[in-house]
Amino acid sequence: MTDQLAATATTLSTNGQTPVLEVKNLRVHYATPLGDVIAVNGVSFNLKKGETLGLVGESGCGKTTTAMGILRLVQPPGRIVGGQVLLNGVDVVALKDAELRDLRWRQAALIPQGAMNSLNPVMKIYDQIADGITTHEGRQPRRVLRERILGLLNMVGLPGRTADLFPHELSGGMKQRVCIAMAIALNPPLIVADEPTSALDVVVQRVVAQTLLDVKAKLGVSMILIGHDMGLQAQLVDRIAVMYAGNIVEIAPVKNIFEEPMHPYTQLLIASIPSIKEKKPLRVTEGLTHDLRNPPPGCIFQFRCPKVMEDCLHYVPPLRELKPEHFVACHLYE
Ligand code: SF4
């Protein structure tokens, strides 16, 4: 997408409100002996205050790498090769390491994928949360700190005694809620939740999803929710960005995505959701993604698209606004 189109997309998608987050033409590559894998290929979007944006797409489409790029957590051999990430006007990509350390937790926090493995197994929950708070805010009276941590645990629906337990004494859902408590400890304006319910059973998924909704309602944070569970996305997010092979191919309010998906890939994603009301054959997206080191000329979805045309093989479809706040990258609508 050209810078001009990116600017158009991002400006219009927040309905004129000042965005908390502006991602502009973000590009992330992973170096391999056979050439760079293009994991994120010029992604642009905005997030306004209190909004939740869902990032969806199949495994390997670049959702998590986009999130890691936003928080500058891409690890070698990955690297950000271009673009800007403006968090309340500050370009995260250009920050020095010390500035970045200060920004994390205070301005942007991550709820990681697989909470089971992200907590320190030899530290009690209290100490893990206290560690993050005191690192950023300095030492505090123990009573004040304890009250604050109990308040955080209470906000995510955990009893106060959780503070004095080790991670192995908690269930998966409790660990995930501890991660949410840690993410909101410094009241950051942005939270990135990377598949926060993927390792949980459906009942616990519901509890964690409700916790995220409660946190959003109480604190008014902006959230990016990564996942491929479209049902969960429908309950939690305001807008959805659909990613394919490192590109956003459609971004629209959640209602539009479910009721009038326009990009053929989004249509296939929606058709693959099972329904308990009507028995219908599930559609699958046939074929495999192209080699991410050598994207084809033209549309990146051409090898798997049931509606591919001659133009699709030669020209990259730009992300265009086809309805209010509904952007699609597809030649079908030209
Ligand atoms: Fe399919 Fe062509 Fe649209 Fe790409 S541009 S999604 S190949 S119809």
Side-chain angles (χ1 to χ4, degrees):
M1 184 166 55
T2 65
D3 286 350
Q4 191 185 358
L5 281 165
T8 308
T10 52
T11 302
L12 292 175
S13 60
T14 51
N15 257 347
Q17 292 183 29
T18 306
V20 170
L21 176 74
E22 295 172 82
V23 180
K24 296 183 177 180
N25 203 19
L26 181 66
R27 292 183 294 125
V28 182
H29 290 188
Y30 287 96
T32 76
L34 297 176
D36 274 10
V37 167
I38 303 169
V40 178
N41 187 25
V43 159
S44 300
F45 62 86
N46 270 6
L47 195 62
K48 56 191 175 224
K49 184 169 166 37
E51 183 185 33
T52 302
L53 176 77
L55 266 187
V56 304
E58 63 194 6
S59 295
C61 71
K63 309 180 294 283
T64 296
T65 304
T66 299
M68 295 300 120
I70 289 168
L71 298 171
R72 252 187 69 196
L73 285 170
V74 177
Q75 300 297 315
R79 67 195 190 284
I80 297 173
V81 297
Q84 282 185 310
V85 176
L86 301 176
L87 185 54
N88 284 322
V90 175
D91 186 3
V92 177
V93 175
L95 288 180
K96 297 193 173 85
D97 287 350
E99 295 168 327
L100 196 58
R101 274 196 296 278
D102 193 49
L103 173 134
R104 293 198 187 120
W105 271 55
R106 262 191 215 280
Q107 294 294 323
L110 173 71
I111 301 172
Q113 198 170 14
M116 329 283 163
N117 307 321
S118 62
L119 295 171
N120 186 331
V122 294
M123 279 175 86
K124 287 185 177 174
I125 299 304
Y126 175 90
D127 293 325
Q128 301 199 39
I129 302 177
D131 194 33
I133 294 174
T134 52
T135 300
H136 284 83
E137 296 184 353
R139 289 174 65 83
Q140 301 184 11
R142 189 163 172 84
R143 188 180 55 78
V144 173
L145 193 56
R146 186 160 183 92
E147 264 176 32
R148 188 165 161 189
I149 290 171
L150 295 189
L152 286 166
L153 292 173
N154 185 261
M155 192 177 290
V156 298
L158 291 173
R161 64 183 175 80
T162 311
D164 300 315
L165 300 177
F166 286 98
H168 73 266
E169 297 176 279
L170 307 180
S171 68
M174 290 172 84
K175 281 186 231 179
Q176 190 59 284
R177 282 187 279 168
V178 167
C179 287
I180 297 172
M182 291 172 83
I184 60 175
L186 299 186
N187 208 1
L190 173 68
I191 290 177
V192 178
D194 188 3
E195 307 215 22
T197 61
S198 61
L200 306 172
D201 67 63
V202 284
V203 176
V204 183
Q205 271 184 11
R206 180 69 214 155
V207 175
V208 172
Q210 188 58 49
T211 305
L212 285 171
L213 281 174
D214 292 347
V215 163
K216 186 184 155 192
K218 281 180 196 154
L219 303 180
V221 292
S222 307
M223 217 180 272
I224 295 176
L225 184 70
I226 298 166
H228 44 235
D229 182 337
M230 295 296 279
L232 196 71
Q233 292 277 336
Q235 295 169 39
L236 292 179
V237 309
D238 303 303
R239 280 189 300 143
I240 286 186
V242 180
M243 288 193 72
Y244 183 79
N247 296 261
I248 289 181
V249 294
E250 184 163 5
I251 181 165
V254 62
K255 191 168 184 287
N256 295 33
I257 291 285
F258 281 90
E259 291 182 1
E260 325 168 62
M262 297 183 78
H263 193 279
Y265 178 58
T266 314
Q267 290 168 353
L268 286 164
L269 275 185
I270 300 295
S272 70
I273 302 172
S275 165
I276 55 170
K277 289 194 184 136
E278 48 175 329
K279 282 191 179 167
K280 55 168 189 174
L282 295 181
R283 297 280 308 274
V284 293
T285 309
E286 303 282 355
L288 294 172
T289 311
H290 58 263
D291 179 351
L292 291 176
R293 290 164 305 190
N294 296 303
C299 175
I300 38 122
F301 192 52
Q302 60 183 265
F303 297 135
R304 303 174 74 186
C305 180
K307 298 175 180 170
V308 61
M309 310 172 290
E310 184 62 28
D311 271 3
C312 311
L313 311 183
H314 307 289
Y315 307 109
V316 177
L319 193 64
R320 294 184 305 131
E321 188 179 30
L322 300 179
K323 295 179 184 173
E325 289 199 77
H326 194 148
F327 295 80
V328 186
C330 178
H331 289 308
L332 283 175
Y333 306 99
E334 286 169 7

